[in-house]
Amino acid sequence: MTGESAAESRTMNPVEIKALARVIDRLDYYRLLKLDPGANTSQLRVAYHDARKRFHPDCFLGQPEEIRVAVDRIARRITEGYLVLRDRQRRAAYDSALTGGHLRLTQEVEDEVKTEVQQQRGTTANGRRYLTLCEEEERRGALPKAIAHLRTAITFEPKNLAFRQKLDRLEQQLKAAKTASK
């Protein structure tokens, strides 16, 4: 079976199209594109093109207005999902928003996620600087130095919850490493 005939065989009937249009606001982009969240860009592209073939508005020109409107709504959402998932940064923001229960990445949600990420990375230049130094030491396996840098970062941003959580995690790792070495 060729790709085109396979797509044609998966064409939905009008009842299924109307049903999908009714529940589309309850589907995340992955479910809409029938895609695993860990899918790579090649798999995403294939899923998008498959979905677009199934819901291309030109294929439904002879259908009643109600069906054409439903197909148009579905096609727009498929494109919206593809445009978000193909962009690495927007996809990361979407994945973060998805864990918070947002099924679509609207500009408002995207701005909210960006603000949250920026707060996690630090809101002051010195906070970000010492966080970066902490991460470099952590990658080298120098946990005491990483903890020291993070404590310095916290002096610049004492209310940064992400810094405090990371400090707790690093201190637990250091404690576990000391216990294991005894």
Side-chain angles (χ1 to χ4, degrees):
M1 187 179 284
T2 66
E4 187 173 317
S5 61
E8 288 173 2
S9 70
R10 290 177 286 206
T11 302
M12 299 174 86
N13 67 45
V15 173
E16 292 172 323
I17 290 170
K18 287 193 295 188
L20 178 59
R22 277 194 303 270
V23 300
I24 201 163
D25 289 333
R26 289 183 263 165
L27 298 177
D28 63 59
Y29 299 145
Y30 295 108
R31 287 184 63 195
L32 182 62
L33 291 169
K34 298 180 180 177
L35 197 63
D36 182 70
N40 62 31
T41 54
S42 175
Q43 293 166 322
L44 170 63
R45 193 175 314 112
V46 169
Y48 168 71
H49 288 292
D50 182 53
R52 283 298 293 178
K53 283 179 187 173
R54 283 184 286 129
F55 296 104
H56 197 283
D58 289 350
C59 296
F60 296 90
L61 290 176
Q63 296 291 323
E65 176 73 17
E66 179 184 14
I67 299 300
R68 289 194 317 255
V69 168
V71 167
D72 184 60
R73 185 166 184 237
I74 294 167
R76 287 177 189 270
R77 188 65 58 85
I78 287 168
T79 301
E80 175 186 310
Y82 176 68
L83 292 175
V84 168
L85 297 179
R86 78 177 186 173
D87 181 305
R88 192 171 25 147
Q89 290 181 339
R90 293 186 75 203
R91 185 174 182 166
Y94 177 68
D95 289 344
S96 177
L98 193 58
T99 59
H102 298 280
L103 299 176
R104 296 179 70 189
L105 188 64
T106 60
Q107 188 61 47
E108 182 179 293
V109 171
E110 196 169 354
D111 290 344
E112 188 179 301
V113 170
K114 279 182 184 174
T115 301
E116 187 178 308
V117 168
Q118 286 173 343
Q119 286 177 347
Q120 288 177 354
R121 295 291 312 157
T123 55
T124 65
N126 282 329
R128 288 188 297 271
R129 178 175 168 240
Y130 282 99
L131 176 64
T132 301
L133 292 171
C134 166
E135 291 171 339
E136 288 172 4
E137 295 297 340
E138 185 181 7
R139 278 191 291 275
R140 287 188 213 147
L143 288 179
K145 287 182 179 179
I147 289 170
H149 287 306
L150 196 51
R151 284 187 178 144
T152 304
I154 289 173
T155 64
F156 292 103
E157 297 183 31
K159 294 182 180 178
N160 190 316
L161 185 61
F163 285 4
R164 292 197 175 277
Q165 290 172 339
K166 185 174 181 77
L167 179 62
D168 289 343
R169 184 178 54 79
L170 289 176
E171 287 176 339
Q172 287 175 358
Q173 282 180 342
L174 182 61
K175 186 177 178 181
K178 285 181 179 177
T179 303
S181 67
K182 288 184 180 178

